[in-house]
């Protein structure tokens, strides 16, 4: 089972751009913070740029947020990414001749749909500024 870190990494990029707005914003520097390949960062930044969340020029290490962090919700980030937007996934191959196998998919579809709605509501209620504030607060408490 493989988990996608795209949302976490995209939020990381946006927080990084705001916290280090005075410099050090190359994809290589951001990738070092995420511990990912710079090409992964560039790909995510491309998604974020297309969604209007960041502004950047190709080949220049000067990306900036396109909006105030208080006006970027985590749902905005979630929808910006080129990925499957279902949080939970059902095994599509179960035994139709088994009581459980024949009925688990439809049953879980209902449950997972409710979880999806609740998760998206929480993402909508949380801003990038909330994340940045949390990062800076934790940093301050460590020092």
């Amino acid at each position: 089972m493989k988990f996608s870190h795209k949302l976490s990494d995209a939020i990381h990029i946006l927080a990084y751009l705001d916290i280090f707005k005075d410099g050090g914003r190359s994809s290589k520097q951001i990738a070092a913070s995420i511990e990912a390949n710079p090409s992964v960062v560039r790909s995510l930044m491309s998604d974020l740029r297309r969604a209007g969340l960041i502004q950047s020029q190709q080949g220049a290490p000067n990306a900036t947020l396109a909006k105030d962090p208080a006006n970027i919700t985590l749902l905005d980030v979630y929808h910006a990414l080129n990925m499957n937007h279902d949080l939970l996934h059902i095994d599509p191959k179960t035994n139709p001749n088994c009581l459980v196998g024949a009925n688990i998919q439809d049953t879980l579809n209902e449950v997972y749909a409710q979880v999806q709605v609740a998760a998206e509501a929480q993402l909508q209620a949380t801003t990038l500024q909330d994340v940045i504030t949390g990062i800076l607060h934790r940093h301050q408490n460590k020092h």
Side-chain angles (χ1 to χ4, degrees), residues 13-25 61-65 67-69 129 132 136:
I13 290 167
L14 294 171
Y16 189 99
L17 291 176
D18 187 69
I19 291 170
F20 292 105
K21 57 182 151 241
D22 293 330
R25 297 183 319 257
N62 63 350
T64 58
L65 296 182
K67 302 176 183 180
D68 185 283
Q129 186 60 58
I132 292 167
L136 295 175

Side-chain angles (χ1 to χ4, degrees), residues 5-139:
H5 300 132
K6 280 186 171 186
L7 179 59
S8 174
D9 289 349
I11 295 166
H12 188 135
I13 290 167
L14 294 171
Y16 189 99
L17 291 176
D18 187 69
I19 291 170
F20 292 105
K21 57 182 151 241
D22 293 330
R25 297 183 319 257
S26 72
S27 58
K28 185 176 179 180
Q29 289 164 310
I30 297 169
S33 179
I34 295 174
E35 293 191 347
N37 188 300
S39 65
V40 170
V41 170
R42 287 189 294 274
S43 175
L44 288 170
M45 289 177 79
S46 178
D47 288 345
L48 296 169
R49 185 175 40 256
R50 268 193 300 280
L53 299 179
I54 65 171
Q55 298 171 333
S56 66
Q57 294 177 345
Q58 197 165 14
N62 63 350
T64 58
L65 296 182
K67 302 176 183 180
D68 185 283
N71 295 325
I72 298 173
T73 70
L74 298 191
L75 187 62
D76 295 332
V77 181
Y78 179 67
H79 286 303
L81 301 176
N82 183 17
M83 59 184 254
N84 180 337
H85 285 92
D86 289 334
L87 294 174
L88 303 172
H89 306 276
I90 296 169
D91 184 350
K93 189 176 180 187
T94 56
N95 183 350
N97 297 318
C98 168
L99 171 75
V100 177
N103 296 289
I104 189 86
Q105 294 165 337
D106 289 339
T107 302
L108 286 179
N109 271 331
E110 292 173 9
V111 173
Y112 287 4
Q114 293 170 3
V115 170
Q116 185 78 29
V117 167
E120 288 188 16
Q122 185 60 49
L123 290 172
Q124 179 65 38
T126 307
T127 67
L128 178 60
Q129 186 60 58
D130 296 328
V131 173
I132 292 167
T133 299
I135 291 167
L136 295 175
H137 178 75
R138 282 173 179 77
H139 174 73

